[in-house]
Amino acid sequence: MKLSHLSETLIGSEIVKLGGEIREKISQGEKIYNFTVGDFDPSIFPIPQALEDEIVTAYRKHFTNYPLGEGNTDLREAIAAFLKQRENLEYSIAEILVASGGRPLIYSLFRAICDAGDKVIYAVPSWNNNHYTHFVGAQHVVVEATAENNFMPTVEHIRPHLKGATLLALCSPQNPTGTTFTKEDLEAICDMVIEENASRSEQEKKLYVMYDQMYWQLTFGEIRHYDPVNLRPAMRPYTVYIDAISKVFAATGVRVGWAFGPKIIMDKMKAILSHVGAWAPMAEQKAVAKYLYMHDDIDAYLHQFKGAVEARLRGIYDGLQQLKKEGFSVDAITPQAAIYLTIKIDLAGKKTEAGAVLKDQADVTAYLLNEAKLAIVPFYAFGADRSSPWYRLSVGTCKVEEIPAMIDQLRVALKKLV
């Protein structure tokens, strides 16, 4: 059956494929340490109690009708106040657009800015930029970030591709790496974008930046989050931010996200979404509108939540460093932010006890799942080269007490290889 070119050329998800294998093993009674999902187990990481109470109250008050297409006024007012207090960013409610999480906002941004054939620059590994670029028929301009720079793109990566580009997709803290831009690196990128736009005529499209900061409040230790407009106010006409409650409040299923940026772009994104219908639910909007003013509750929640996430990331990091000291081909980048740990398991070319050669990283991933019972997502699932030995490990469903057993299981599997 002949279908659309788009549907017939969509790239299958490696994560979905891996998830199917994991579910099959679990259904057969196997104990799998599943670190693949960028989500939370609510029994481990519940949403804030005050937010939950407000959602229940909103439903009991029968807030079950359509919300405003751009997001309810009270919610956008709360977001504007939240941005001012927490990020020192001043945006009017006309410059804020609400939707059911970050995905429809990213989709509508690509649609609002990009035409077929336009150049979209994005680094890999990164989450879903390849799919959104494909949706709009744009030209993929892929730069591969490296471990030497914590897998964050730099001016040196981006500059050769800048001429004629329409969109630069950036994310910090980064999914899948859990790493962040340094102040100096982001300033340099902003200066480059400003210089490039100054060189373009009024008849040319400007170069816009999508700044996905979904995890910005989940930074650890001395790590600080930086954003384009605070660093360079001249970036304001060219920058669209993507944010949500999804990750910072462990509320992935509550589906309230927002974008903010130039009003002309927000208006076009709103028009696109008006035909898609990707509104955040009315009751959840009412609840979030109240919760964003509860700063003491938010601070208390984040203190506990970030501590619990960081304890898991550092526990696994320390375990991997011990394995590295024991001579195994593993490594990890020190946790910086988000719910992800970037780990390296470099086993391609080794032989199993049965004499089978792990020919490539796909074989390594399968071996880890079958022998170590460890499910993690290879960076090639996020667009990196298929030979990359790096992985994303997500701790949103991790139980602290299981970490030592997981490290021991991995040690046993590594010992079997020659």
Side-chain angles (χ1 to χ4, degrees), residues 63 72 96 121 138 169 239 262 314 348 352 397 403:
F63 286 115
N72 289 335
I96 298 170
I121 304 172
T239 305
R314 292 199 176 276
T352 68
T397 62
I403 292 174

Side-chain angles (χ1 to χ4, degrees), residues 25-39:
K25 289 181 177 295
I26 292 173
S27 71
Q28 294 175 1
E30 291 190 44
K31 170 63 180 177
I32 302 295
Y33 298 101
N34 187 6
F35 295 97
T36 63
V37 185
D39 197 0

Side-chain angles (χ1 to χ4, degrees), residues 318-330 407-408 410-412 414-415:
D318 290 344
L320 290 169
Q321 292 305 305
Q322 178 58 40
L323 292 178
K324 180 181 178 181
K325 287 180 182 177
E326 294 171 19
F328 297 109
S329 299
V330 302
I407 295 294
D408 285 343
L410 177 57
R411 178 183 286 107
V412 170
L414 294 173
K415 284 181 176 179

Side-chain angles (χ1 to χ4, degrees), residues 46-53 248-251 291 297-298 301:
I47 67 172
Q49 185 62 54
L51 176 58
E52 180 181 314
D53 292 343
V248 69
F249 300 133
Y291 186 67
D297 192 277
I298 290 172
Y301 179 83

Side-chain angles (χ1 to χ4, degrees), residues 117-132:
D118 281 358
K119 289 170 63 176
V120 175
I121 304 172
Y122 59 90
V124 294
S126 63
W127 178 82
N128 263 21
N129 287 310
N130 56 334
H131 299 296
Y132 291 110

